Amino acid sequence: MAVTETTTTTDLTYSKMRGIAVFVAAFIKQRKMGLNDFIQKLVSNPQICQNHDVHVFLQIDQNEPEEEEETYSNSNRSSLASDEFDLPTSCSVKPSDFHYLKIIGKGSFGKVLLAKHKDNQKFFAIKVLQKKMILKKKEQKHIMAERSVLLKNVEHPFLVGLHYSFQTTDKLFFVLDYVNGGELFYHLQRERVFLEPRARFYAAEIASALGYLHSLHIVYRDLKPENILLDSEGHIVLTDFGLCKEGIEPNCTTSTFCGTPEYLAPEVLQKEAYDRTVDWWCLGSVLYEMLYGLPPFYSRNTAEMYNNILHKPLQLKANISNSAQELLEGLLQKDRTQRLGARDDFLELKFHDFFFPINWDDLMAKKITAPFIPTVTGPTDLQHFDPEFTQQPVPNSVGSSSEDILITASVQEAAEAFLGFSYVPPVNDTYL
């Protein structure tokens, strides 16, 4: 019996060691995953650090050049000195770090919630996505692209900022700037049209944001009033980067059919190659809607609307300035090679007569007082959000960990599909 027990114990020990060895080998293969996924893996599996191969890996010469990796930006990199992996578990982020207060939006893959960080008491908008829904619709590349774009947006005043991203077994979490001035769509619905100075102010802030994205070789592709938020001071915040396309340099094109029907450019509808000028078409459509109350070629009949976009001449009423008419004609040019922005991108808009009243330096510094300031009493004032969302109960499952979920083949697939998703800013970042 003693021999049998000893043999069993040895077999179990060997099996356990072999399991760790296999895990270590797989782990080292995944060294390109995001730094914070890497740290969290170490924190949750401290025995790995004792493995000789991992120990050697953590002793990488700090002068060794870093590998290029598209899925995270320079702001998310740091040297891999071994002492940096003695980080406490608080350096990772998890669902239970937040109080989830209200649902403020919903999408195809999940919900957006107002949340308050338990430690620093700051308010955030947390986008919670269901992995199984993303995989079912084969949208994982778009989600990872959204994360990548968000990490590049931290320096622009009119793009929503990413504070953290993390994942559980079944969910993805984007922790974003909380903006509670309401969607531009919400305000446009209430007021029907905006006066030209107000429309110019919004169009200038949107154009500067799109120009910044283009400078990073990113095409936005889904500009519409629902994706344009107002902050509490009345400034634009562009959000939702799920349809962004990276790597589109000035002379490059792409061909994916995507966007929102009312704002699709003719070349997209015709399934032709298109470039960054699709964003200027969309800006023209949004500006037209701000000035006239509807998108330029709108029809309740989608087929008719598509035909209008392709063939109907642009119709402009005389109740706007000549410079506004000229700008709309330039942006809503059906031939993309003749469209305003086709040659010098944002600079062509920046120096257009319509924007003559804009001091662009003051605009970027938010020194220009917004023509409309939303009435909000504080972070928990949700009057500019749709009650359809805010009146729904917050699911208890949102803030709970999912370690108890049975690890099935589909769950494993979901985990592998989002390697490198997690992001925590450097410790000296002002977000913390």
Side-chain angles (χ1 to χ4, degrees):
M1 178 66 72
V3 173
T4 305
E5 287 178 351
T6 302
T7 303
T8 303
T9 302
T10 303
D11 289 344
L12 287 173
T13 302
Y14 173 76
S15 177
K16 184 176 180 181
M17 290 176 64
R18 186 170 177 231
I20 291 175
V22 170
F23 185 83
V24 164
F27 176 61
I28 293 175
K29 275 188 177 181
Q30 294 171 359
R31 57 183 287 177
K32 283 189 177 182
M33 67 200 306
L35 177 59
N36 296 287
D37 277 4
F38 185 85
I39 293 171
Q40 289 176 31
K41 184 77 79 172
L42 289 179
V43 168
S44 60
N45 297 276
Q47 73 272 19
I48 298 175
C49 300
Q50 308 305 318
N51 181 276
H52 173 73
D53 291 335
V54 173
H55 184 72
V56 171
F57 172 59
L58 296 181
Q59 297 291 337
I60 294 172
D61 186 345
Q62 294 191 40
N63 294 320
E64 180 183 342
E66 293 185 5
E67 297 180 52
E68 291 295 326
E69 178 61 31
E70 186 182 29
T71 57
Y72 58 97
S73 70
N74 289 334
S75 63
N76 191 29
R77 299 186 188 198
S78 60
S79 57
L80 299 178
S82 59
D83 58 347
E84 293 185 54
F85 290 92
D86 294 327
L87 293 171
T89 56
S90 60
C91 287
S92 60
V93 187
K94 54 190 181 300
S96 57
D97 291 340
F98 301 88
H99 291 298
Y100 299 87
L101 307 176
K102 287 285 184 180
I103 295 174
I104 56 176
K106 293 183 75 174
S108 303
F109 306 125
K111 300 178 176 67
V112 181
L113 298 102
L114 169 61
K116 188 176 183 180
H117 197 283
K118 292 178 180 178
D119 289 340
N120 61 32
Q121 300 297 298
K122 292 182 179 180
F123 290 89
F124 299 98
I126 301 187
K127 191 173 181 179
V128 184
L129 307 176
Q130 300 288 338
K131 288 183 178 179
K132 63 180 181 181
M133 294 301 296
I134 297 168
L135 292 174
K136 183 178 180 180
K137 296 189 177 183
K138 299 180 180 179
E139 293 287 338
Q140 56 267 41
K141 287 185 178 180
H142 283 158
I143 299 301
M144 293 304 290
E146 180 173 11
R147 174 205 174 276
S148 177
V149 171
L150 279 164
L151 281 177
K152 297 173 182 177
N153 291 348
V154 293
E155 296 177 359
H156 200 279
F158 308 127
L159 295 171
V160 73
L162 175 70
H163 295 260
Y164 317 100
S165 61
F166 57 94
Q167 59 180 301
T168 61
T169 310
D170 58 334
K171 297 183 185 72
L172 300 175
F173 294 75
F174 286 111
V175 182
L176 305 164
D177 290 333
Y178 172 53
V179 182
N180 67 338
E183 295 176 355
L184 193 69
F185 179 72
Y186 168 84
H187 295 287
L188 194 51
Q189 274 191 319
R190 292 183 63 187
E191 301 181 43
R192 198 177 67 81
V193 295
F194 297 149
L195 295 177
E196 192 168 311
R198 183 174 174 184
R200 174 171 29 248
F201 176 80
Y202 294 152
E205 292 193 336
I206 297 166
S208 69
L210 292 175
Y212 176 75
L213 290 174
H214 293 177
S215 74
L216 300 176
H217 303 149
I218 297 167
V219 182
Y220 183 69
R221 299 198 296 189
D222 197 26
L223 187 70
K224 57 184 176 181
E226 293 90 333
N227 286 345
I228 303 166
L229 308 179
L230 296 185
D231 67 17
S232 58
E233 296 179 346
H235 294 284
I236 287 296
V237 180
L238 198 58
T239 187
D240 198 342
F241 303 98
L243 292 186
C244 282
K245 179 69 173 180
E246 297 182 277
I248 305 299
E249 298 186 21
N251 296 321
C252 289
T253 60
T254 186
S255 57
T256 305
F257 184 87
C258 65
T260 300
E262 292 87 342
Y263 308 93
L264 290 175
E267 60 270 26
V268 178
L269 273 177
Q270 292 174 315
K271 299 185 178 179
E272 297 174 350
Y274 59 86
D275 57 17
R276 60 193 183 181
T277 58
V278 295
D279 287 340
W280 301 131
W281 172 277
C282 291
L283 178 59
S285 299
V286 170
L287 177 59
Y288 186 103
E289 187 172 0
M290 288 193 283
L291 294 170
Y292 291 124
L294 285 172
F297 302 101
Y298 180 75
S299 171
R300 290 184 179 180
N301 183 305
T302 304
E304 182 181 342
M305 182 169 64
Y306 286 171
N307 186 66
N308 292 345
I309 291 172
L310 291 174
H311 305 296
K312 187 178 180 179
L314 179 65
Q315 296 178 347
L316 299 172
K317 298 174 185 176
N319 61 331
I320 61 173
S321 67
N322 289 337
S323 63
Q325 292 187 42
E326 290 171 3
L327 180 66
L328 288 172
E329 288 170 349
L331 294 173
L332 295 169
Q333 166 61 244
K334 296 183 191 295
D335 181 353
R336 69 176 175 87
T337 64
Q338 301 301 312
R339 192 172 300 153
L340 189 68
R343 293 182 300 277
D344 295 320
D345 201 52
F346 170 58
L347 289 179
E348 292 184 45
L349 282 77
K350 185 175 182 179
F351 296 113
H352 192 279
D353 285 347
F354 179 73
F355 292 115
F356 178 77
I358 298 292
N359 181 314
W360 291 94
D361 291 336
D362 288 347
L363 185 90
M364 290 294 292
K366 292 187 175 181
K367 291 181 179 178
I368 300 177
T369 302
F372 167 78
I373 299 176
T375 54
V376 289
T377 58
T380 56
D381 185 347
L382 304 177
Q383 63 175 296
H384 299 301
F385 292 98
D386 193 332
E388 177 189 349
F389 303 137
T390 59
Q391 292 176 2
Q392 293 182 17
V394 176
N396 293 329
S397 59
V398 173
S400 62
S401 181
S402 54
E403 286 85 0
D404 56 341
I405 289 181
L406 182 65
I407 304 299
T408 63
S410 60
V411 170
Q412 183 65 32
E413 179 191 2
E416 293 172 354
F418 301 101
L419 288 176
F421 178 83
S422 299
Y423 164 73
V424 178
V427 292
N428 60 346
D429 196 299
T430 54
Y431 288 158
L432 290 174

